[in-house]
């Protein structure tokens, strides 16, 4: 179940919740077996062993729930630290589970025991979720706050931005759980910034379309990778191929368009801030990898700030890794 963007908090027969800045997560438990999955069906279980333990401790033996994985720090939510939790090495996964543990914030209950709750109204599902989480310490699994007052939701929207909350979500109290449909409403904080387009990934479902664009900012003349964006309509994905074609670099073999990495998330809503995280860093045209890639900038290099933290890009957490080597880079 998805949300569509609106410019203001809607007023009516709604429940309002904070919009958490983390990884969307569907939780399946059947006895000791626990599976964590992303909104796009990607498995997350192996990356968050501490959350698996928390689910076993806090949720009923047979249930399906919907929520968000988050990592918190002294200043609030830490999306960059959460992104670093997606790592291929088991030793690194276990180390990060200890040093930057994730927690699960739940907001919906899809099934309980043998009962499918998706046809029940949201108000009923919320009541059941409150019941199963009542009592005892949170122990890594939390119930998201909820209000039925639009004025309270507007206060949350304004007051908790500094803590990393992404905005506010409104849900009709009678709403059934409808997979892959945008039947909720979200009001998000909007900020604008100018970025360098440093490269792109192909769309997973169509190798003639762009899946996502790599974005960068300059810091004292060094180009720093700050993330990706992939929420494009299908027609625009194909049009971007022609827009970027003149800037694709030539390799030493003379191939004018080297094979790019497939965007396995398919762009979409998670493309800008998805589970792949997106490390940061700089590159040098004189380095072995740099000889195969360059960048395009619409402005002169200068000191830039992080769009997330307001701090110099080179000092932002999680931005110290190198640019992903398999992405196509473009040049002017």
């Amino acid at each position: 179940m998805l949300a569509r963007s609106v410019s203001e908090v809607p007023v009516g027969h709604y429940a309002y919740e904070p919009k958490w800045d983390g990884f969307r997560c569907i939780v399946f438990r059947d006895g000791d077996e626990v599976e964590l999955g992303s909104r796009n069906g990607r498995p997350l279980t192996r990356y968050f062993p501490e959350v698996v333990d928390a689910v076993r401790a806090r949720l009923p033996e047979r249930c399906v729930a919907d929520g968000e994985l988050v990592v918190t720090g002294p200043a609030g939510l830490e999306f960059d630290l959460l992104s670093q939790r997606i790592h291929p090495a088991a030793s690194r996964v276990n180390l990060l589970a200890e040093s930057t543990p994730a927690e699960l914030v739940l907001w919906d209950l899809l099934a309980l025991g043998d009962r499918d709750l998706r046809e029940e109204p949201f108000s009923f599902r919320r009541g059941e979720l409150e019941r199963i989480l009542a009592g005892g310490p949170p122990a890594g699994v939390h119930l998201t706050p909820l209000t039925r007052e639009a004025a309270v939701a507007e206060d949350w929207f304004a007051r908790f931005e500094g803590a990393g909350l992404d905005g506010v979500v409104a849900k009709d109290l009678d709403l059934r759980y409808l997979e892959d449909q945008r039947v909720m409403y979200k009001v998000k904080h909007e900020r604008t910034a100018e970025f360098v387009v440093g490269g792109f990934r192909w769309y997973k479902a169509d190798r003639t379309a762009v899946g996502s664009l790599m974005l960068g900012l300059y810091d004292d003349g060094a180009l720093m990778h700050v993330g990706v964006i992939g929420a494009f309509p299908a027609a625009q994905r194909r049009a971007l191929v022609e827009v970027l074609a003149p800037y694709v670099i030539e390799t030493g073999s003379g191939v004018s368009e080297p094979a790019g990495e497939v965007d396995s998330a398919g762009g979409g809503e998670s493309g800008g801030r998805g589970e792949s995280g997106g490390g940061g860093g700089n590159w040098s045209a004189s380095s072995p990898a740099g000889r195969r890639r360059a960048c395009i900038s619409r402005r002169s290099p200068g000191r830039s700030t992080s769009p997330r933290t307001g701090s110099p890009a080179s000092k932002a957490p999680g931005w110290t890794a190198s640019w992903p080597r398999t992405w196509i880079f473009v040049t002017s």
Side-chain angles (χ1 to χ4, degrees):
M1 194 159 68
L2 307 174
R4 62 185 180 92
S5 294
V6 293
S7 59
E8 341 182 289
V9 175
V11 177
H13 189 60
Y14 297 110
Y16 306 95
E17 300 170 353
K19 188 177 186 305
W20 298 90
D21 193 10
F23 293 166
R24 180 77 174 269
C25 182
I26 307 293
V27 182
F28 302 85
R29 183 184 180 190
D30 186 2
D32 285 337
E33 184 178 355
V34 175
E35 293 290 337
L36 309 178
S38 75
R39 188 188 62 126
N40 296 311
R42 299 176 65 186
L44 297 173
T45 311
R46 70 176 296 271
Y47 303 116
F48 299 97
E50 76 282 18
V51 175
V52 172
D53 291 340
V55 167
R56 291 194 183 110
R58 290 281 283 144
L59 294 186
E61 287 203 351
R62 299 190 67 224
C63 64
V64 181
D66 194 355
E68 194 101 351
L69 292 168
V70 298
V71 169
T72 60
L77 300 182
E78 298 282 0
F79 186 84
D80 293 316
L81 294 180
L82 179 65
S83 297
Q84 294 174 27
R85 293 296 307 272
I86 307 302
H87 199 281
S91 59
R92 181 67 174 169
V93 167
N94 293 329
L95 176 65
L96 293 175
E98 293 284 339
S99 61
T100 55
E103 298 178 81
L104 179 65
V105 180
L106 294 178
W107 59 66
D108 212 334
L109 187 63
L110 283 63
L112 182 60
D114 294 327
R115 187 175 180 188
D116 185 346
L117 303 179
R118 291 174 294 176
E119 292 297 316
E120 300 290 345
F122 172 70
S123 58
F124 178 85
R125 301 196 309 273
R126 169 71 187 201
E128 289 293 280
L129 186 60
E130 291 176 354
R131 182 179 62 80
I132 67 175
L133 292 178
V141 178
H142 307 269
L143 178 68
T144 192
L146 178 145
T147 182
R148 297 188 182 187
E149 301 294 329
V152 174
E154 290 173 351
D155 178 62
W156 288 352
F157 183 80
R159 189 151 50 100
F160 295 135
E161 179 182 5
L165 290 176
D166 216 13
V168 172
V169 175
K171 305 175 182 179
D172 192 303
L173 289 164
D174 297 328
L175 187 64
R176 295 179 295 118
Y177 193 93
L178 302 171
E179 293 91 343
D180 298 323
Q181 296 187 39
R182 295 191 180 276
V183 291
M184 304 182 293
Y185 301 97
K186 61 184 177 183
V187 185
K188 297 182 64 175
H189 299 285
E190 294 185 358
R191 305 176 191 87
T192 60
E194 290 186 357
F195 294 95
V196 173
V197 176
F200 69 92
R201 295 185 294 180
W202 294 112
Y203 188 52
K204 68 171 184 177
D206 184 356
R207 293 302 298 269
T208 64
V210 168
S212 56
L213 299 176
M214 289 185 66
L215 305 179
L217 288 173
Y218 280 106
D219 181 49
D220 288 337
L223 183 60
M224 314 299 294
H225 173 224
V226 296
V228 300
I229 183 171
F232 305 116
Q236 190 174 9
R237 293 185 187 281
R238 290 186 289 272
L240 280 170
V241 175
E242 293 187 16
V243 172
L244 297 173
Y247 305 108
V248 175
I249 64 169
E250 293 189 0
T251 65
S253 62
V255 179
S256 62
E257 189 169 329
E261 178 180 307
V262 175
D263 185 354
S264 59
E269 194 172 77
S270 66
R273 304 277 299 282
E275 295 92 5
S276 60
N282 53 24
W283 57 271
S284 169
S286 61
S287 67
R291 282 194 288 268
R292 294 188 61 249
R293 57 196 184 188
C295 70
I296 175 173
S297 174
R298 297 295 185 185
R299 56 187 176 83
S300 301
R303 188 170 186 81
S304 298
T305 58
S306 159
R308 295 182 47 74
T309 64
S311 60
S314 61
K315 297 181 180 179
W319 292 3
T320 57
S322 62
W323 288 80
R325 295 183 179 179
T326 53
W327 282 340
I328 299 174
F329 280 66
V330 295
T331 182
S332 55

